[in-house]
Amino acid sequence: MLTGSKTTFKVRQMVPDMKERMLSPSGLNARSRDMFGLRCLPGECVLQRAVLVRKKLTAREGGGWLAGTLFCTHFRVSFVPQDSPKPDDNADPVLLGEHDVALASIEKVVAVGPSRTKLVTPNSSLKFTPEELVLYCRDLRVICFLFDRLTPDTQAVEITYTIAKTYQPLKPGCVLAFQNAALGSVEMKQFLSNRRRDGQMNWFESVDEWERELERCGAKGWRVSTVNDRFEMSTSLPRYNVVPQRVLDTELKRTFAHFNEGRIPRWSWRHPRGSDLLRMSSFQNNIYHEKDDTRNLELVLFGSQWSLCVVVDLGEEMPSPADLHLAHSRLRALCLGDISNSVTVPDDKWLSTLESTHWLDYTRCCLRKAGEVACLLRGGHMTVALQESEDRDMGCLVSSLVQVMCDPHCRTQEGFQGLVQKEWVMSGHRFYSRLNYHRDNDKEEAPVFLLFLDCVWQLWSQFPSRFQLTDHFLLALYDSTHLPLFSSFLANCQRERCKRTQHLTQTYTPVNGWRDVLPRGGLSLSSPTDSVDPPLPSVWDWALQYGGGRLSRFTQPVPPTPPTPPPPVVLNGNLNTNPDIRRMSDTVQGSVFLLSRGSFSSPTNLLPWSHRRAPSSESLSGLERLLKATGSPLDHYEPLLPLLLGPCMRVWKECYLRGVLHAQAFSHPVSSNHAHPVVRLALEVQQLHEQLALASASSSNSSSTASTINKPPPPRHRRPDANLNQNTNNGTFLFPAPRAQARPVPPAPTSSSSSDHPSAGGSAKHTFLFGPPASSSQDPRAEPRYYPNAKLPHGNRPGCQGRQ
């Protein structure tokens, strides 16, 4: 092979041009036939290919290299193994194969030569022949390809430039080429129109589907309002909203102007004990409130409850989108490094740098706030309203986490998909702005949805047997957010989705001016030829994205649901769960409290109107006792409250660390075969831990046998009741501790803070690589599923987990 110092390649333009290739007859005829073993999608054509290429396999894939052919289309970078079976022409096409990556998911393209590494851009030139091609993706994956010595130099250079020219949009804000060429083709329109939606899932796009949710939750006293059917009241709210039955639509219309963006208090979920969860934006304090408006606002805010309403302020302690963007940028830089300067974090500062990103702090903060709301709802017969400035970010996150903690249905795949559809897609989360597909608005970009998936993964890691869905499902959902082909993520609200898929007419009213008018009857994809843009599939159409092998790992069998316990005793219309709380509820009729920073208050300026009765100090103490109360683990209504101590908050290594091995391979692909410094450090700590366990076991065996037998077993470490307010340890936990240990390992007689138990005294931050010492057992319901043996399995080491 020619060396980089003797050969210079510069490609000024692809020949033929990319646009001519996509529109050429040869490209159009290649839509439904195999191209050198690659089965093209309808409307897809191959732009460039390279033979005799090897792909670096991840640890989950078995490691090593896989030989095959590398393709670049105007939609994806596809790798076809040499010995792969012939694709079935009768099977439905899949958007991404096992070894494919979408062009829209690529963040940077790096060419590795014999002695240097170069970041390839559309306007750059290569002065060496690439020996390795590394694709850094936005979802923290790193795909590594190695060109064989027999690979033609022109193919290696041209496919590198082709990928660099096609993975970015033609200009900021434009629609990607694949959406115009492939999804706009007649074949793709017909293929998408013939696909059927999952009938078992609740899409929340009709009145019947909302009423079905009300019936499932047993929410009496609520109804589905169609007052926003044409988005005249609020452009960001869905067409149908759940409001109290006693509030008429004529009265409801007067309340929209009192809230930011017209996002009035609306029902989200009912706890089995009778409490209702609401969401709303902040009040418009500069609007005059008439007497009738005050009554309507109280009716909407209290819902079906007249006894008590707690407003949870999410703006005081929750992270802002700018905070999340900064923390995620630091996390990316830590996990992938600076590939342009080849700068990496030293081994001895890796964990401290991870803590300084504050990503785990934000995850802990969200779980703590959701736990507080779950404890309030557990008390029964009250209304808890989540209030955010615009109710489109943290409101979606906290409301969804509360339902995952309290509702077993939301921990199944079907229920979780319906939860995301209800609380995120239909409720107006700014997916288009927060994900920043076209990279034209960096100020609005924030990984709010990723933070939610991380919080769910924390719950799953501590309570794996309580979930039907698995971490494979969460990871696949996160990867799908970086593929701009799904209607679920390509809009900021339901109105934008309707505007894309249906023709809108306008009407003029003296009050609202010109407004878009939707045809009645809901959404429909049955007539794709009448739509403004090509129809886009939903993200929940998993058969369109993955094969059966990947789909089978989305769920796991769960134990059968125990029989429903008898209904609790009801006294004076209240559940007899806590006598103090019952008495408190009877004495504060019509009172509104504010929950902020873990404490209750009743400020006079909480609502833009005065309440009918001032709450007492006894009521505040009763609410605090309710927040700190601990239920029985066997109680059906007991929420999944995670442990929030530093060692219990773990890094989602399958997501964040799956590309860390390739990220360190800057000079030569051989370096990517070595273990990551974090892995080597983890193995050393594990070996020391095993040696301490053996030393402790040998010393204890030499003691008196009789005293050992007669000694009662140590008490089981109880789950901390006040974990919501006492989790101040800001330690970092990378990997779970091994399951089996003979007996607790005593702390080493040193002054190092890293060997102390996190619950012990002292203000030092504790960092555990494999988890807390064996003496600090976790919740009995938490079932660790990783590392059942003493040694760390090779397949579970933090490597780069590719798309399977």
Side-chain angles (χ1 to χ4, degrees):
M1 176 179 287
L2 298 177
T3 60
S5 59
K6 297 181 180 180
T7 305
T8 300
F9 295 94
K10 184 171 182 179
V11 180
R12 292 175 295 180
Q13 187 177 11
M14 289 182 293
V15 182
D17 186 71
M18 181 184 67
K19 182 177 180 180
E20 297 179 0
R21 288 192 180 189
M22 289 189 296
L23 300 179
S24 62
S26 61
L28 297 177
N29 295 333
R31 291 169 180 166
S32 58
R33 61 187 178 90
D34 298 339
M35 295 291 295
F36 305 98
L38 175 66
R39 185 183 182 186
C40 296
L41 298 169
E44 183 184 17
C45 61
V46 177
L47 302 179
Q48 190 58 252
R49 70 182 181 95
V51 297
L52 302 176
V53 180
R54 288 183 291 172
K55 178 189 176 183
K56 174 65 176 178
L57 299 180
T58 63
R60 183 174 293 185
E61 295 171 338
W65 301 86
L66 184 63
T69 305
L70 183 63
F71 298 89
C72 177
T73 70
H74 57 286
F75 165 58
R76 56 180 171 169
V77 175
S78 180
F79 180 79
V80 179
Q82 184 176 1
D83 299 331
S84 61
K86 184 178 180 180
D88 187 6
D89 296 335
N90 298 326
D92 292 336
V94 179
L95 293 179
L96 294 176
E98 184 179 359
H99 304 284
D100 298 350
V101 57
L103 289 173
S105 302
I106 299 177
E107 183 74 20
K108 295 179 181 179
V109 179
V110 176
V112 181
S115 59
R116 59 176 301 186
T117 300
K118 183 176 180 59
L119 178 65
V120 184
T121 62
N123 299 323
S124 62
S125 60
L126 284 176
K127 297 183 179 180
F128 59 90
T129 302
E131 295 183 355
E132 182 181 3
L133 177 63
V134 185
L135 305 180
Y136 291 81
C137 303
R138 304 184 71 186
D139 54 7
L140 297 175
R141 285 185 299 160
V142 181
I143 313 298
C144 180
F145 300 100
L146 179 65
F147 297 108
D148 192 83
R149 293 184 176 274
L150 300 179
T151 303
D153 296 344
T154 55
Q155 291 187 6
V157 173
E158 287 188 3
I159 198 169
T160 302
Y161 271 110
T162 303
I163 296 174
K165 287 178 178 292
T166 54
Y167 83 91
Q168 293 182 347
L170 302 179
K171 60 181 180 180
C174 71
V175 180
L176 296 182
F178 179 76
Q179 296 181 5
N180 284 336
L183 291 183
S185 62
V186 178
E187 296 88 346
M188 181 57 75
K189 283 185 176 182
Q190 183 179 3
F191 170 69
L192 295 178
S193 62
N194 293 331
R195 301 193 69 84
R196 295 292 180 262
R197 289 186 171 185
D198 186 4
Q200 302 296 328
M201 177 182 161
N202 197 339
W203 296 85
F204 295 95
E205 293 181 350
S206 65
V207 177
D208 296 338
E209 291 175 332
W210 280 100
E211 291 180 347
R212 186 171 62 183
E213 179 70 6
L214 289 174
E215 182 180 0
R216 186 189 71 85
C217 297
K220 298 181 180 179
W222 299 87
R223 66 179 181 89
V224 183
S225 173
T226 60
V227 69
N228 198 40
D229 184 34
R230 303 189 179 189
F231 307 106
E232 295 178 353
M233 300 292 101
S234 175
T235 57
S236 61
L237 283 181
R239 303 176 64 180
Y240 310 111
N241 298 273
V242 179
V243 297
Q245 285 185 350
R246 56 174 175 262
V247 181
L248 302 178
D249 285 346
T250 55
E251 300 173 342
L252 188 64
K253 289 182 178 180
R254 305 182 61 177
T255 63
F256 283 90
H258 297 273
F259 296 89
N260 292 338
E261 297 189 9
R263 300 181 69 86
I264 61 174
R266 61 205 183 278
W267 179 90
S268 289
W269 180 70
R270 164 164 284 196
H271 194 276
R273 292 190 180 277
S275 300
D276 293 311
L277 179 65
L278 277 64
R279 289 178 53 183
M280 66 177 183
S281 63
S282 300
F283 295 103
Q284 291 279 8
N285 295 325
N286 56 347
I287 296 181
Y288 175 73
H289 302 278
E290 298 180 356
K291 184 176 181 180
D292 293 340
D293 294 344
T294 301
R295 174 185 173 276
N296 296 333
L297 288 172
E298 288 184 346
L299 289 176
V300 175
L301 185 60
F302 281 91
S304 61
Q305 314 288 342
W306 276 110
S307 59
L308 180 63
C309 176
V310 178
V311 178
V312 181
D313 187 12
L314 301 180
E316 291 291 333
E317 52 187 313
M318 303 298 289
S320 64
D323 297 335
L324 294 180
H325 179 71
L326 179 60
H328 186 256
S329 301
R330 293 174 176 174
L331 184 64
R332 283 186 57 89
L334 175 63
C335 295
L336 299 182
D338 190 350
I339 61 177
S340 59
N341 299 326
S342 301
V343 176
T344 57
V345 178
D347 300 349
D348 56 345
K349 296 183 180 180
W350 202 93
L351 294 177
S352 60
T353 307
L354 175 63
E355 293 180 0
S356 63
T357 62
H358 298 295
W359 182 260
L360 291 180
D361 293 338
Y362 297 150
T363 305
R364 182 185 297 107
C365 178
C366 295
L367 289 172
R368 181 187 297 111
K369 179 59 67 175
E372 293 175 354
V373 176
C375 290
L376 281 176
L377 294 171
R378 179 182 55 187
H381 292 279
M382 70 174 63
T383 299
V384 180
L386 304 179
Q387 185 182 47
E388 190 184 6
S389 177
E390 297 179 354
D391 184 35
R392 305 184 70 175
D393 290 309
M394 291 296 111
C396 304
L397 190 148
V398 176
S399 177
S400 303
L401 280 182
V402 170
Q403 298 179 51
V404 172
M405 290 179 176
C406 301
D407 194 348
H409 175 72
C410 298
R411 297 193 287 268
T412 63
Q413 181 180 352
E414 174 188 339
F416 188 83
Q417 293 179 170
L419 174 67
V420 175
Q421 189 75 14
K422 176 182 66 172
E423 299 294 340
W424 294 81
V425 178
M426 304 304 298
S427 294
H429 177 65
R430 296 188 182 93
F431 277 110
Y432 183 84
S433 300
R434 296 305 184 210
L435 295 175
N436 195 17
Y437 282 123
H438 297 150
R439 306 165 196 181
D440 57 346
N441 193 359
D442 296 338
K443 294 183 179 180
E444 295 291 333
E445 183 178 355
V448 183
F449 190 66
L450 171 61
L451 181 63
F452 164 67
L453 295 180
D454 197 338
C455 293
V456 176
W457 182 86
Q458 300 290 341
L459 292 171
W460 175 86
S461 62
Q462 295 192 25
F463 307 95
S465 62
R466 308 291 289 272
F467 284 81
Q468 184 200 30
L469 55 88
T470 62
D471 59 337
H472 291 274
F473 173 81
L474 298 176
L475 190 60
L477 182 57
Y478 168 62
D479 292 340
S480 300
T481 59
H482 295 282
L483 186 60
L485 295 177
F486 306 112
S487 59
S488 308
F489 304 138
L490 274 178
N492 291 330
C493 58
Q494 188 184 12
R495 176 181 175 271
E496 293 184 5
R497 296 182 186 89
C498 296
K499 190 175 181 179
R500 176 185 176 88
T501 57
Q502 295 183 357
H503 289 288
L504 298 180
T505 58
Q506 288 188 332
T507 182
Y508 178 82
T509 58
V511 178
N512 299 319
W514 288 99
R515 289 281 185 174
D516 296 332
V517 178
L518 282 173
R520 295 185 180 273
L523 303 179
S524 175
L525 293 178
S526 59
S527 57
T529 57
D530 298 335
S531 61
V532 179
D533 290 325
L536 296 178
S538 172
V539 70
W540 312 122
D541 190 0
W542 293 114
L544 182 64
Q545 302 185 55
Y546 304 105
R550 181 69 181 270
L551 297 180
S552 62
R553 296 192 292 268
F554 280 6
T555 58
Q556 64 180 358
V558 294
T561 305
T564 304
V569 180
V570 178
L571 297 177
N572 297 330
N574 291 317
L575 293 176
N576 189 20
T577 56
N578 192 319
D580 295 334
I581 302 304
R582 178 176 56 82
R583 288 196 299 267
M584 178 203 66
S585 301
D586 293 339
T587 58
V588 290
Q589 297 292 333
S591 297
V592 181
F593 294 90
L594 174 66
L595 174 60
S596 179
R597 298 188 181 276
S599 60
F600 293 94
S601 61
S602 181
T604 56
N605 58 350
L606 173 60
L607 302 178
W609 64 89
S610 59
H611 347 358
R612 293 167 296 172
R613 180 182 301 182
S616 61
S617 58
E618 182 182 357
S619 302
L620 293 176
S621 60
L623 285 174
E624 292 177 356
R625 290 195 302 270
L626 174 61
L627 186 62
K628 298 179 180 180
T630 303
S632 173
L634 301 179
D635 190 356
H636 246 344
Y637 308 138
E638 179 68 13
L640 301 181
L641 298 180
L643 297 175
L644 302 181
L645 292 172
C648 300
M649 298 300 298
R650 294 154 48 191
V651 174
W652 189 5
K653 64 183 183 67
E654 289 82 3
C655 179
Y656 304 135
L657 300 181
R658 53 180 170 172
V660 74
L661 287 178
H662 292 324
Q664 308 300 326
F666 297 108
S667 58
H668 198 272
V670 178
S671 61
S672 62
N673 292 329
H674 296 285
H676 186 260
V678 177
V679 179
R680 297 197 302 266
L681 179 61
L683 293 177
E684 293 177 4
V685 173
Q686 179 68 7
Q687 292 175 0
L688 293 176
H689 187 75
E690 294 174 0
Q691 293 177 4
L692 288 175
L694 294 176
S696 176
S698 60
S699 61
S700 60
N701 291 334
S702 61
S703 61
S704 176
T705 307
S707 60
T708 305
I709 297 177
N710 298 329
K711 185 178 180 180
R716 191 177 184 88
H717 180 69
R718 291 189 58 189
R719 176 178 177 170
D721 298 339
N723 63 74
L724 298 176
N725 300 321
Q726 296 180 359
N727 294 323
T728 59
N729 190 320
N730 192 23
T732 301
F733 181 52
L734 266 181
F735 310 107
R739 182 194 300 256
Q741 290 292 342
R743 47 181 52 84
V745 180
T750 62
S751 58
S752 176
S753 61
S754 62
S755 62
D756 297 335
H757 192 275
S759 62
S763 59
K765 297 181 180 180
H766 304 280
T767 299
F768 293 89
L769 197 63
F770 281 88
S775 59
S776 62
S777 60
Q778 295 183 358
D779 188 283
R781 290 174 295 177
E783 299 178 9
R785 303 179 59 184
Y786 301 101
Y787 317 139
N789 301 322
K791 295 185 178 181
L792 183 67
H794 176 73
N796 288 338
R797 294 178 183 176
C800 105
Q801 305 295 335
R803 197 181 193 102
Q804 298 183 0

